[in-house]
C-alpha cells in the first residue's frame, strides 16, 4: 500500500516515464547480475542511483531533458547486464 501511494504521488511530481523506468529497469538489471535476493536489492539500488547521477550529469552536459536522460542511462546499464548474462551462458 505504501509503494502504491508513493508511486501515485511521484507520478504527479516527476512523471510517468521516469517513475516507470526507475522502478523496472534497475530491478531487471539487478536480476541479471545477482545470485540471491539480498544481492539483487543492493544491485538495484546501486543501478538506480547510477542511472540518476549519470543521467543528470549527461543531461547537464548535453543540454537534454533530465527524465529521458536518466531512463536512457538505465537502459544502457540494463543492456550491459544482458551482455553479462550472455557471457554466463557461454561459459556453461
Amino acid at each position: 500500500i505504501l509503494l502504491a501511494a508513493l508511486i501515485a504521488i511521484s507520478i504527479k511530481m516527476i512523471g510517468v516515464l521516469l517513475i516507470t523506468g526507475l522502478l523496472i529497469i534497475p530491478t531487471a538489471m539487478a536480476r541479471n547480475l545477482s545470485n540471491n535476493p539480498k544481492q539483487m536489492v543492493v544491485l538495484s539500488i546501486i543501478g538506480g542511483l547510477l542511472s540518476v547521477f549519470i543521467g543528470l550529469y549527461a543531461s547537464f552536459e548535453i543540454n537534454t531533458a533530465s527524465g529521458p536522460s536518466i531512463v536512457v542511462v538505465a537502459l544502457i546499464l540494463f543492456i550491459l547486464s544482458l551482455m553479462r548474462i550472455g557471457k554466463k551462458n557461454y561459459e556453461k
Side-chain angles (χ1 to χ4, degrees):
I1 295 173
L2 186 60
L3 181 62
L6 181 68
I7 291 171
I9 294 169
S10 298
I11 285 175
K12 290 182 180 182
M13 297 169 108
I14 299 172
V16 175
L17 175 68
L18 186 58
I19 292 299
T20 306
L22 284 178
L23 278 174
I24 296 172
I25 298 174
T27 307
M29 177 206 63
R31 184 170 188 252
N32 291 337
L33 300 175
S34 64
N35 296 324
N36 57 42
K38 190 174 185 178
Q39 188 179 23
M40 184 176 161
V41 169
V42 171
L43 288 175
S44 178
I45 292 169
I46 292 170
L49 288 173
L50 276 175
S51 299
V52 169
F53 290 134
I54 295 171
L56 287 176
Y57 180 76
S59 169
F60 180 72
E61 290 295 320
I62 303 171
N63 196 22
T64 59
S66 59
S69 298
I70 293 170
V71 173
V72 167
V73 170
L75 185 62
I76 290 170
L77 291 175
F78 174 72
I79 291 170
L80 290 174
S81 76
L82 287 177
M83 290 180 190
R84 172 75 177 164
I85 288 296
K87 186 177 177 184
K88 279 185 186 177
N89 291 336
Y90 181 73
E91 291 172 355
K92 290 182 181 178

